Amino acid sequence: MTGRNGRQPTGRGSRLRARLSLGAHSVAGQVFALQAVIVLLLITAAAVALVVQARVDSERDARHRSLAVAEGFAHSPGLAAALASRNPTPTLQPLAEAARRASGVDFIAVMNTDGVRYTDPIPELIGKRATGDLSRAVAGRSFTETFRGEPSDAVRAVVPVRNAEGVVVGLVGTGIEVANVSMVVEGQLPLLLGAAAGGLALGTAGAALVSRRLRRQTRGLGPAEMTRMNEHHEAVLHAVREGVLIIGADDRLVLANDEARRLLDLTPDSEGRAVADLGLDPRTTELLVSGRVVTDQVHLAGDRLLAVNVRPTKQYRGMSTGSVVTLRDSTELAAVSGRAEVARGRLQLLYDAGVRIGTTLDVVRTAEELSEVAVPRFADFVTVELLDPVLRGDEPSSASGTYSEMRRAAITGIRTDTPLQPAGDVIRFVVPTAPMAAALDAGHAVLAADLNAAMGWRAQDEEGTREALEYGLHSLISVPLQARGVVLGMANFWRADTPEAFDEEDLSFAEELGARAAVSIDNARRFTREHAMAVTLQRRLLPRVLPEQNAVDVAFRYLPAKAGVGGDWFDVIPLPGTRVALVVGDVVGHGVHAAATMGRLRTAVHNFSTLDLPPDELLGHLDELIHRIDQNETGAVPDEDGDDPEGEPEPAAVTGATCLYAIYDPVSGRCTMASAGHPGPALISPDGQVEFPELPAGLPLGVGGMPFETTEFTLAEGSRLALFTDGLVEDRDRDFDTGLRLLGETLSRPGRSPEQACADVLAVMLFPVPSDDIALLVADTRRVEADRIAEWEVPGEASAVSRVRNAGSAQLAAWGLEEISFTTELILSELITNAIRYGSAPVRVRLLRDRTLICEVSDGSSTSPHLRYAATTDEGGRGLFLVAQYADRWGTRYTERGKVIWAELPLTGGGDQEPGPPDLDALENMAW
């Protein structure tokens, strides 16, 4: 291509482009470019950091200034009094504006505790509520924030104003607009950018000087050429694990690398000397100077077996330049291969230990897994000793070097006959120089390569050590098991049949193995402790002894899960009128929280049962109570980290609990029950037929939103009810339907007591390692005999009272209860009189002879009487008071068509004083 005037380009331009191209590919050029880029990045990063720091400092200064002005104005005299006036604005607006101008902030706003402004630089905003969250200031805490919103973005501070009593009566908000904060930073930008430009120029100039000097040193070579030259040299002389010799045509040694010097024992001045003068054996000398081609020839040189290769070098200008010899030490290669195989085996053993140790959360089993994984691949026998607190799950003492005895938790060996003490024995460390005591005192593994020379170990138990040595034990490594800096126990690795003694490499491996096992043992210990705590809490919260009652014959079983105690529970609650409530429930989850939640629910059910509510209403009240508990315990406003303001973690909610509540009446044989997400019971008829009645599916407690429904059915005399939790029938290896079918088959066997039925059910249904708690309640129902029940219809007239009273007295005489006849007549008179006077038809009276005498008077009114004290001038009002005084217990329960007022009396007369015989007919006129 020609130039502008048809001529070729001048040589100066071509040389300049060639130089630039050469510089770009040379090491010096690339170093200059790299340095220039690094300088540019550093200067840019520094400039950005300065801008960001200036912005941060400006915003921090704005926060501090706003907070100082707000606190100063909030604590100014008379501010609290002005806020208490009817119209604070005329008084505070001039003061706020004067303070704003003096302090240099953009606004000072005085507000009430609802955020309504009394002052503001913008008059239109006075009387309007400030936006943003002011709750922290209302609660008494000052704060600063970067506010985004109307009327403008600002860095503001809000400080509470307190009166003389310390009560927050108002708020003071001050701030500087974000735009004004940014202007401060923008004013500094020219200086920052100028400094950055100057630094960039200086850095570039320095890089150019360094690049110029480097170009002279490297003669303009590129990195690829220099790297290739260096790699060739290193590969030939040092990088390879082979000896390399270059022998010239005159049989002189031209070059030898370090490996060749080591293999042939060459002196440092060997290069340049004749091969015959190197002091090598004749056979080696002859091989090196023969010039023949040799491939992997095994050659004996002293005590080494060398694999030798000889090749002639490439001719240069038609002349032979000698030969190249490579040497490999096959003896060391075999040894290296053996060590690599051992290392691979150790790595595999560590991997197996990580997989096999700690598969359960049982302390003893974890110790057994440690002993099993090391035999026979590392040791012939392994013993593991643990401190007694660790075996119990307690925290061991953190003191080191003070352990004198431990309990053997595991022992594993290649043979069953061993001179070592069995598992369960106490192992004592009485000699400080014994390997075990030394390891505990030092805090690291101790090696006794030759037990015959371990005098401390032999002195500890002369008879036992003599038997161990005769048995063949010859080498020992003692490793203290430590986790979190606390000693848990120790592991001892013994060799007997393996001829090689333990060495230092084995010591490091044993310590690594012990460290991994110690973590698993500590995890199991902590789980054991928490499991024991939860089990103790659970058992103390569950009923220990069932209450006495005649309605059902009850047996129960409770088994905590192996993986963690849950919230399963049961209860038997006697109710008025010989009735009884059977309860079973389950709280989702495991641990102490689930057990504590169970205790709260059981207490709530007891409290609600005293109200004698139907099952559906009781579950409804229980569900509402759980809602209130959740709101009270989880309603705290979390801070920025998600914790509550006091720093405590947010409590877990109770949602997920289930409950089955059943009431059995032995008089009528009716059973009513309702379920809150809990499986229904098993109903076993007297002939052994088992059915699982369908119950309306209710939601679990705490979910809320839907009412519960009651199911009622009549039980034949001698029927059996089995209430249970889902842990009995369902597990990972068995679905719910299969478990129900198996449970039905087990319960169908006739002729067994409730205790025998519980034992048989657990024998068949129990899983080897239950993953959930199991609660089982088996109740045989009974009926009250007809001759223990007396009932009368009461006409709605006052004269009927004496007739029913006399009939009741006659019935008590027939039962042989004349001793309590007077008290019973008194109570009947009061209850019947008031039912006729204040209730509505029909009025019925029923006497039940059970553990106590139960007097029941029912009517069609739902109005409940209340106990009160009558004044001395009142003619009536003492009837219910007398009932409460003479009866052991009394109360009211509501039915679908009215109420029943009941009272219980002991079957034998009680009391220190015999009551006088008042006029029972006169008592009929006494009001409630």
Side-chain angles (χ1 to χ4, degrees):
M1 180 176 180
T2 60
R4 184 174 182 180
N5 298 320
R7 295 177 296 178
Q8 293 291 335
T10 62
R12 178 177 296 178
S14 299
R15 288 193 301 272
L16 179 60
R17 285 192 296 273
R19 180 173 296 180
L20 291 176
S21 176
L22 179 62
H25 290 86
S26 65
V27 173
Q30 293 184 14
V31 169
F32 171 77
L34 180 60
Q35 287 181 327
V37 171
I38 292 175
V39 169
L40 177 61
L41 291 177
L42 290 176
I43 296 299
T44 303
V48 172
L50 288 174
V51 172
V52 172
Q53 185 63 38
R55 182 176 295 275
V56 171
D57 292 341
S58 300
E59 184 174 339
R60 183 171 59 249
D61 179 67
R63 284 176 179 266
H64 292 167
R65 186 145 49 106
S66 299
L67 181 60
V69 173
E71 289 183 341
F73 197 86
H75 294 88
S76 60
L79 180 57
L83 287 172
S85 62
R86 298 187 61 181
N87 187 10
T89 300
T91 303
L92 298 180
Q93 178 68 7
L95 297 176
E97 285 301 295
R100 179 183 66 80
R101 288 190 293 271
S103 61
V105 297
D106 290 332
F107 66 88
I108 297 178
V110 182
M111 301 164 282
N112 62 12
T113 55
D114 294 329
V116 178
R117 298 182 179 91
Y118 290 141
T119 70
D120 197 273
I122 304 175
E124 291 79 1
L125 297 179
I126 297 176
K128 295 183 179 179
R129 188 183 186 282
T131 57
D133 182 13
L134 305 177
S135 59
R136 288 176 287 175
V138 175
R141 291 183 293 171
S142 303
F143 69 93
T144 62
E145 64 179 0
T146 301
F147 173 76
R148 304 288 181 181
E150 296 296 331
S152 62
D153 299 342
V155 176
R156 73 174 183 180
V158 182
V159 177
V161 180
R162 302 177 184 270
N163 59 14
E165 291 76 19
V167 179
V168 177
V169 296
L171 309 174
V172 174
T174 64
I176 301 175
E177 294 183 358
V178 174
N180 293 335
V181 175
S182 301
M183 290 176 61
V184 176
V185 178
E186 292 172 359
Q188 300 175 359
L189 284 178
L191 177 61
L192 295 176
L193 294 179
L200 180 61
L202 290 176
T204 305
L209 292 176
V210 172
S211 176
R212 183 176 179 182
R213 179 63 180 268
L214 186 60
R215 182 177 294 107
R216 291 203 204 106
Q217 296 289 338
T218 61
R219 300 180 182 273
L221 292 176
E225 292 84 353
M226 296 184 65
T227 301
R228 185 164 54 252
M229 291 175 61
N230 182 69
E231 288 178 349
H232 175 74
H233 179 77
E234 293 294 333
V236 171
L237 295 181
H238 309 292
V240 297
R241 291 292 297 170
E242 290 188 355
V244 177
L245 301 173
I246 299 179
I247 300 173
D250 56 354
D251 294 336
R252 290 183 177 273
L253 181 62
V254 177
L255 183 145
N257 69 346
D258 297 340
E259 183 69 5
R261 295 174 186 275
R262 185 182 69 85
L263 294 177
L264 298 178
D265 296 327
L266 300 178
T267 60
D269 59 346
S270 298
E271 294 180 354
R273 297 171 58 186
V275 174
D277 298 336
L278 296 179
L280 302 177
D281 61 272
R283 293 180 63 254
T284 304
T285 302
E286 190 275 333
L287 177 63
L288 296 180
V289 301
S290 64
R292 68 178 185 271
V293 176
V294 175
T295 302
D296 289 335
Q297 178 178 328
V298 178
H299 180 79
L300 178 62
D303 58 350
R304 301 178 185 273
L305 287 177
L306 303 180
V308 182
N309 289 273
V310 180
R311 293 288 187 277
T313 58
K314 186 177 180 180
Q315 293 185 354
Y316 178 69
R317 296 181 179 179
M319 299 174 60
S320 175
T321 57
S323 59
V324 175
V325 181
T326 62
L327 310 170
R328 292 198 312 274
D329 189 350
S330 59
T331 305
E332 292 192 1
L333 285 176
V336 169
S337 300
R339 288 196 296 269
E341 186 63 29
V342 172
R344 282 195 297 271
R346 295 289 169 82
L347 289 175
Q348 182 63 39
L349 182 55
L350 285 178
Y351 171 79
D352 293 342
V355 174
R356 294 174 55 186
I357 299 177
T359 58
T360 68
L361 290 174
D362 182 81
V363 174
V364 174
R365 180 56 193 154
T366 304
E368 292 173 349
E369 290 169 342
L370 167 60
S371 63
E372 292 168 358
V373 79
V375 176
R377 296 159 66 182
F378 177 67
D380 297 330
F381 295 91
V382 176
T383 59
V384 181
E385 291 80 44
L386 299 176
L387 294 169
D388 280 336
V390 175
L391 292 170
R392 296 192 302 267
D394 297 333
E395 183 78 19
S397 172
S398 59
S400 61
T402 60
Y403 307 106
S404 59
E405 63 179 39
M406 295 182 183
R407 190 170 299 276
R408 180 150 291 168
I411 178 171
T412 302
I414 57 176
R415 296 195 301 271
T416 56
D417 59 322
T418 170
L420 301 173
Q421 293 177 250
D425 279 12
V426 174
I427 310 299
R428 292 179 174 83
F429 314 110
V430 295
V431 179
T433 56
M436 299 83 167
L440 290 173
D441 183 63
H444 58 74
V446 170
L447 169 64
D450 185 6
L451 288 177
N452 287 283
M455 294 296 106
W457 174 69
R458 300 184 67 172
Q460 183 167 270
D461 180 9
E462 294 183 2
E463 181 65 23
T465 54
R466 183 181 59 79
E467 293 180 3
L469 291 174
E470 292 176 355
Y471 183 83
L473 296 178
H474 61 83
S475 189
L476 166 68
I477 294 179
S478 295
V479 182
L481 301 177
Q482 303 178 89
R484 300 177 292 109
V486 178
V487 174
L488 306 175
M490 69 180 312
N492 295 300
F493 301 90
W494 310 79
R495 279 186 177 174
D497 291 7
T498 303
E500 295 83 7
F502 288 117
D503 55 22
E504 292 296 330
E505 292 185 2
D506 296 324
L507 184 69
S508 301
F509 174 78
E511 197 154 24
E512 174 68 19
L513 188 61
R516 297 193 178 195
V519 174
S520 298
I521 291 175
D522 189 53
N523 290 338
R525 179 201 63 79
R526 297 170 68 180
F527 171 80
T528 301
R529 180 186 59 187
E530 295 182 4
H531 182 75
M533 291 173 55
V535 168
T536 302
L537 177 62
Q538 177 85 327
R539 293 195 181 279
R540 289 189 177 273
L541 293 176
L542 286 173
R544 298 186 179 181
V545 179
L546 296 181
E548 295 182 356
Q549 42 78 38
N550 292 334
V552 290
D553 182 15
V554 183
F556 65 90
R557 293 290 188 277
Y558 169 75
L559 294 177
K562 294 294 184 182
V565 176
D568 290 15
W569 55 285
F570 63 90
D571 220 330
V572 178
I573 306 173
L575 298 177
T578 71
R579 297 169 305 138
V580 66
L582 304 176
V583 193
V584 67
D586 184 4
V587 177
V588 175
H590 295 279
V592 175
H593 173 73
T597 302
M598 175 277 296
R600 300 172 75 176
L601 292 181
R602 179 171 177 255
T603 302
V605 170
H606 265 273
N607 292 335
F608 287 136
S609 67
T610 59
L611 302 177
D612 210 348
L613 299 174
D616 56 339
E617 294 185 20
L618 184 140
L619 292 181
H621 285 291
L622 194 61
D623 183 64
E624 183 180 356
L625 174 66
I626 290 177
H627 271 295
R628 290 200 302 270
I629 291 175
D630 287 347
Q631 291 174 358
N632 293 337
E633 293 191 352
T634 63
V637 178
D639 58 15
E640 296 178 356
D641 298 327
D643 296 335
D644 64 53
E646 300 298 330
E648 295 294 334
E650 184 175 338
V654 187
T655 303
T658 64
C659 182
L660 176 65
Y661 188 85
I663 297 177
Y664 173 67
D665 186 351
V667 176
S668 62
R670 286 193 298 269
C671 182
T672 58
M673 62 180 64
S675 171
H678 198 87
L683 176 58
I684 303 95
S685 62
D687 59 358
Q689 296 294 323
V690 180
E691 62 175 321
F692 296 91
E694 292 288 338
L695 297 183
L699 295 177
L701 298 173
V703 176
M706 296 295 291
F708 299 99
E709 299 182 42
T710 296
T711 300
E712 180 175 325
F713 43 87
T714 302
L715 300 180
E717 186 173 0
S719 297
R720 174 173 290 176
L721 281 173
L723 285 71
F724 54 89
T725 56
D726 57 0
L728 178 67
V729 297
E730 187 177 24
D731 200 79
R732 292 183 295 267
D733 301 326
R734 186 169 66 203
D735 59 34
F736 187 80
D737 293 336
T738 303
L740 280 186
R741 184 171 61 255
L742 186 59
L743 177 62
E745 295 173 356
T746 307
L747 291 173
S748 63
R749 303 170 189 169
R752 294 171 303 164
S753 66
E755 281 290 339
Q756 293 171 336
C758 285
D760 291 346
V761 167
L762 290 186
V764 174
M765 305 289 296
L766 189 62
F767 299 97
V769 182
S771 60
D772 197 3
D773 287 13
I774 294 175
L776 173 63
L777 192 67
V778 175
D780 282 357
T781 61
R782 300 170 179 167
R783 297 290 286 270
V784 177
E785 295 87 347
D787 58 359
R788 290 176 174 265
I789 305 172
E791 296 182 278
W792 299 275
E793 290 281 348
V794 182
E797 54 188 30
S799 60
V801 177
S802 60
R803 295 196 300 270
V804 176
R805 187 178 65 226
N806 294 333
S809 178
Q811 182 62 59
L812 291 178
W815 285 340
L817 301 177
E818 294 90 347
E819 188 177 357
I820 61 172
S821 177
F822 170 77
T823 305
T824 305
E825 292 181 41
L826 173 62
I827 292 176
L828 285 176
S829 296
E830 294 305 320
L831 296 181
I832 297 172
T833 300
N834 286 281
I836 294 174
R837 182 174 298 176
Y838 302 107
S840 59
V843 178
R844 294 185 177 87
V845 176
R846 183 170 72 171
L847 295 180
L848 299 174
R849 181 185 176 186
D850 194 56
R851 293 177 178 270
T852 60
L853 180 66
I854 303 170
C855 303
E856 296 181 346
V857 177
S858 62
D859 65 82
S861 172
S862 60
T863 303
S864 176
H866 297 281
L867 181 65
R868 67 184 181 88
Y869 287 95
T872 56
T873 57
D874 290 345
E875 296 182 0
R878 298 175 180 83
L880 196 58
F881 179 77
L882 290 175
V883 173
Q885 291 297 311
Y886 281 96
D888 278 358
R889 298 170 58 222
W890 73 276
T892 304
R893 74 172 182 269
Y894 294 94
T895 62
E896 295 181 358
R897 295 184 177 85
K899 66 178 180 298
V900 176
I901 302 178
W902 55 270
E904 292 185 4
L905 292 83
L907 296 181
T908 58
D912 298 332
Q913 297 181 357
E914 194 70 27
D919 186 359
L920 296 181
D921 292 326
L923 289 176
E924 297 171 8
N925 296 322
M926 298 182 68
W928 290 90

